[in-house]
Amino acid sequence: MKKLWFLTALTAVFIAVNSCEEDRSTDLPPGSNPNVQKYQRIVDQFMAAGAVGVNVAVISPEGTWTGSGGLADREKNIKMSTDNRLRIGSMTKMFAATTILKLQEEGLLNIKDKINQYLPHSITDRIANANEVTIEQCLNHRAGIHNYLPDIAPGVFDGSIVNYSAEQTLQLIYDKPADDPVGKGYYSNSNYLLLSLIIKKVTGKPSYQVINEKVITPLGLKNTTASTLLPDKLTRSYYAETISDPLTDVTHIDNNGIGGEGAIDGGMISTASDITLFVESLLTGKILSPTSMQQLQTFVDNDPARLEPDLKYNKQYGLGLMKLDTNQGVALGHDGHVFGFGGKSYYFPKQKVTVCILLNTWSPKVVALLNAKDTFNLLF
């Protein structure tokens, strides 16, 4: 789905990697996990598809495995390691939804409330649907609010927009028509920028700070960044529009386009290990109360006509949570794409297996493999 909400908007504006065995690494010694050869296939297949670099982590009943392949920086020939940080794109929405539900548990908000109970009319009067929708409808993308991506993309590419905050980005959709009627909306990143402002309103703190306090620090996610500051060991990112195009370094576009304060729709940075730990903790009930978990996993159907052909198995959306119908059964989690980064992290309840794949590459072959339903078969 992320490819749809991000790439569709951007490709309308802008239109030879070595993947050798010696560039791959695993954290566990050979033979220490009975599934090591299965999991290594994930790294190998993404490298064969042309990824510059990839990080993978798996938590299963047999233990934890992490692996990496390729390069974190192609120009400097720096190998990718499992502690390299990558942008996680819309996987950030899982952190945002978790934080909102934690604040509800503390009595600071109610997801059934309309958002204009928390936001000033100087904002909600300028955004179509905003005076009618609830926090919950923003969380599950049924607010119909206009997605800002088509409006921000030109400025990000020409350099006139750099590190816009949530407030600044939302101004780009002022007085523009809604994408859908209230209650029938589709995936819109603007929803989560509105939620960012609500978090700031009820806590008196920037939303990134609250995500750190409520989720990142308690879980000990030492390599996860919710901040406008770039961490050490952030990898470079690479992009190719077509199969025949060379991969171009687009790190500056990533850093300028999504580096602003409060970008909880897709601005976080992490490692595959940290994301896997977060998703496993969230979906096994270690973070939220049973009542919050029930709300988190209250799903609405996605319209198949609005999904790309290779993502038809993305059946439903909860609160910052995708529900997939895979060959291996239900998977819960989220995809994430930015300009030159891509990835996904999912928990398989039946098998009690969690996986995260992070890439510093966007190219047609790499994204096709990432989106492919059959890719999950490599876990089992």
Side-chain angles (χ1 to χ4, degrees):
M1 177 182 286
K2 176 61 174 65
K3 178 184 171 188
L4 187 150
W5 68 254
F6 195 82
L7 183 64
T8 302
L10 296 178
T11 54
V13 185
F14 286 89
I15 301 188
V17 181
N18 291 326
S19 57
C20 302
E21 291 281 324
E22 61 267 24
D23 284 340
R24 73 189 193 184
S25 64
T26 58
D27 280 349
L28 296 180
S32 63
N33 186 306
N35 300 312
V36 62
Q37 292 184 336
K38 289 182 183 179
Y39 301 153
Q40 183 63 46
R41 294 180 303 172
I42 302 172
V43 174
D44 295 342
Q45 289 209 17
F46 277 102
M47 295 310 302
V52 177
V54 58
N55 270 345
V56 180
V58 181
I59 297 175
S60 71
E62 291 78 26
T64 300
W65 178 90
T66 58
S68 64
L71 301 172
D73 187 321
R74 186 177 62 180
E75 286 64 40
K76 294 182 179 179
N77 198 36
I78 299 174
K79 290 185 178 182
M80 182 74 81
S81 64
T82 56
D83 63 348
N84 275 115
R85 278 70 155 173
L86 296 92
R87 291 192 178 275
I88 66 170
S90 277
M91 285 177 266
T92 302
K93 290 181 174 69
M94 291 188 286
F95 287 85
T98 302
T99 300
I100 288 284
L101 289 170
K102 292 287 285 184
L103 295 176
Q104 180 177 249
E105 290 176 4
E106 296 171 12
L108 294 179
L109 55 80
N110 188 313
I111 66 169
K112 302 295 184 180
D113 289 341
K114 289 184 177 181
I115 65 172
N116 66 4
Q117 292 183 223
Y118 303 90
L119 301 179
H121 281 277
S122 59
I123 294 175
T124 59
D125 287 350
R126 301 289 301 275
I127 298 176
N129 290 5
N131 282 319
E132 303 301 323
V133 302
T134 65
I135 293 174
E136 183 177 31
Q137 287 171 319
C138 288
L139 285 166
N140 67 17
H141 296 295
R142 293 307 182 268
I145 288 174
H146 179 65
N147 194 355
Y148 72 78
L149 285 174
D151 305 288
I152 201 171
V156 170
F157 276 96
D158 68 23
S160 62
I161 291 177
V162 176
N163 296 158
Y164 266 21
S165 67
E167 291 94 334
Q168 289 174 300
T169 301
L170 284 170
Q171 290 173 17
L172 297 173
I173 69 169
Y174 279 5
D175 306 321
K176 295 183 178 177
D179 287 347
D180 291 282
V182 173
K184 296 193 176 203
Y186 189 57
Y187 199 97
S188 172
N189 295 280
S190 302
N191 293 323
Y192 277 72
L193 297 188
L194 290 164
L195 295 173
S196 179
L197 302 190
I198 291 173
I199 292 172
K200 185 176 181 180
K201 173 65 176 178
V202 302
T203 64
K205 302 173 184 177
S207 58
Y208 275 153
Q209 181 180 338
V210 180
I211 288 176
N212 274 289
E213 292 175 357
K214 303 298 180 185
V215 183
I216 295 173
T217 299
L219 284 179
L221 305 180
K222 299 186 183 301
N223 295 317
T224 300
T225 302
S227 172
T228 58
L229 301 177
L230 298 179
D232 294 336
K233 302 195 77 171
L234 174 62
T235 79
R236 308 294 294 180
S237 61
Y238 304 91
Y239 176 86
E241 176 67 23
T242 70
I243 292 176
S244 59
D245 289 337
L247 285 163
T248 302
D249 188 316
V250 293
T251 309
H252 67 290
I253 296 175
D254 279 319
N255 290 344
N256 289 343
I258 56 173
E261 179 60 60
I264 65 172
D265 60 321
M268 286 178 56
I269 295 167
S270 190
T271 62
S273 296
D274 269 12
I275 296 301
T276 306
L277 176 58
F278 163 67
V279 172
E280 193 273 342
S281 298
L282 175 63
L283 294 172
T284 56
K286 298 172 185 172
I287 302 177
L288 296 172
S289 70
T291 299
S292 294
M293 286 298 295
Q294 184 177 10
Q295 290 184 315
L296 181 79
Q297 298 183 79
T298 300
F299 293 97
V300 291
D301 292 338
N302 291 323
D303 181 356
R306 301 179 74 168
L307 294 171
E308 295 181 45
D310 55 354
L311 292 172
K312 296 293 186 184
Y313 64 98
N314 186 351
K315 298 292 188 181
Q316 296 181 309
Y317 201 92
L319 304 190
L321 197 65
M322 294 177 175
K323 184 177 182 180
L324 309 184
D325 179 16
T326 78
N327 299 328
Q328 308 298 328
V330 168
L332 305 174
H334 216 288
D335 289 7
H337 290 259
V338 199
F339 294 90
F341 290 99
K344 59 176 55 187
S345 186
Y346 284 90
Y347 172 68
F348 290 78
K350 180 180 176 181
Q351 298 91 342
K352 295 181 172 54
V353 170
T354 310
V355 63
C356 180
I357 302 167
L358 296 180
L359 301 147
N360 64 353
T361 310
W362 197 105
S363 71
K365 286 183 67 176
V366 168
V367 172
L369 180 61
L370 186 64
N371 287 345
K373 188 176 181 179
D374 288 347
T375 297
F376 287 115
N377 295 341
L378 299 173
L379 281 168
F380 304 101

